[in-house]
Amino acid sequence: MAPRPSDAVPADELAAAAAGGVLQLEALAARYPKDPSIFRALMLRHALPPPYHAAALAAAKRLLELDPGATADDDVKRVVSSAAGGPPEAASAALDLMATGMGSHGADLLYELSIGSSALKERAAKRLAEAAVLARATPALRVAHELRAAPSCKARQALLGRATADGDRRAIDALTPLVSSKSKGCGFLGMSRCAAPCASIAKEIKAAIQAIEARVGPSPGAADAPESR
């Protein structure tokens, strides 16, 4: 959302303040508190190594208040995700901003954290599971989340129709391991082949994967899932 002309900082002043550093940007923000471009510049400045996560998040939050469309900005997502890996207070603030201030893009970030290996995995999953967060998520994100959270193959089977219609690569990534067998690890001494986790509905799952791929393309580097038996 563009500020009114009277609220917008002149481009040359913004460039000079950005070159001058944080103090000049903060002084400019006090003069033009409704121009999101200043807060974007402040966010990026605070995110420079070594990052000052708390200040970067505060600037990001103000930017999003002034320009809700900035939730799709790759720099905003990068800064907030980086803060999630920072000190505990910054991590909590980042998760809160993802859950409450970034719409569907915040839910996407929480999902990526919830399936990753960071220490925030469980906390991100808990925030993602909140009804208000899922209500703002895209249909593609919701079905991917439900596929991973489903307690059984039967429960996942009930989601295949939605996955086919709404799913994206995240759904493919959730479904593919369910039809992938292992060459060994089962039976006597673990030397026997392991059946796919959901071998009984493998045909339906593979059909859903193929339908999703027909819409969005295969996952990068994806190979055909091994045949289950």
Side-chain angles (χ1 to χ4, degrees), residues 59-155:
K61 184 176 181 180
R62 181 58 178 156
L63 166 60
L64 294 171
E65 290 170 351
L66 293 170
D67 180 11
T71 56
D73 187 308
D74 287 340
D75 283 330
V76 172
K77 291 187 280 187
R78 174 181 57 80
V79 169
V80 177
S81 294
S82 176
E89 287 188 8
S92 294
L95 291 179
D96 190 58
L97 186 57
M98 292 177 192
T100 63
M102 297 185 68
S104 66
H105 295 285
D108 289 338
L109 294 179
L110 287 170
Y111 178 81
E112 292 304 318
L113 286 173
S114 75
I115 64 172
S117 57
S118 76
L120 289 177
K121 180 175 181 176
E122 291 186 6
R123 290 174 62 191
K126 185 176 180 180
R127 295 306 303 265
L128 178 61
E130 294 174 7
V133 176
L134 288 174
R136 290 189 287 269
T138 62
L141 185 282
R142 284 197 293 270
V143 74
H145 169 68
E146 291 177 41
L147 284 168
R148 289 186 180 274
S152 66
C153 294
K154 184 176 181 180

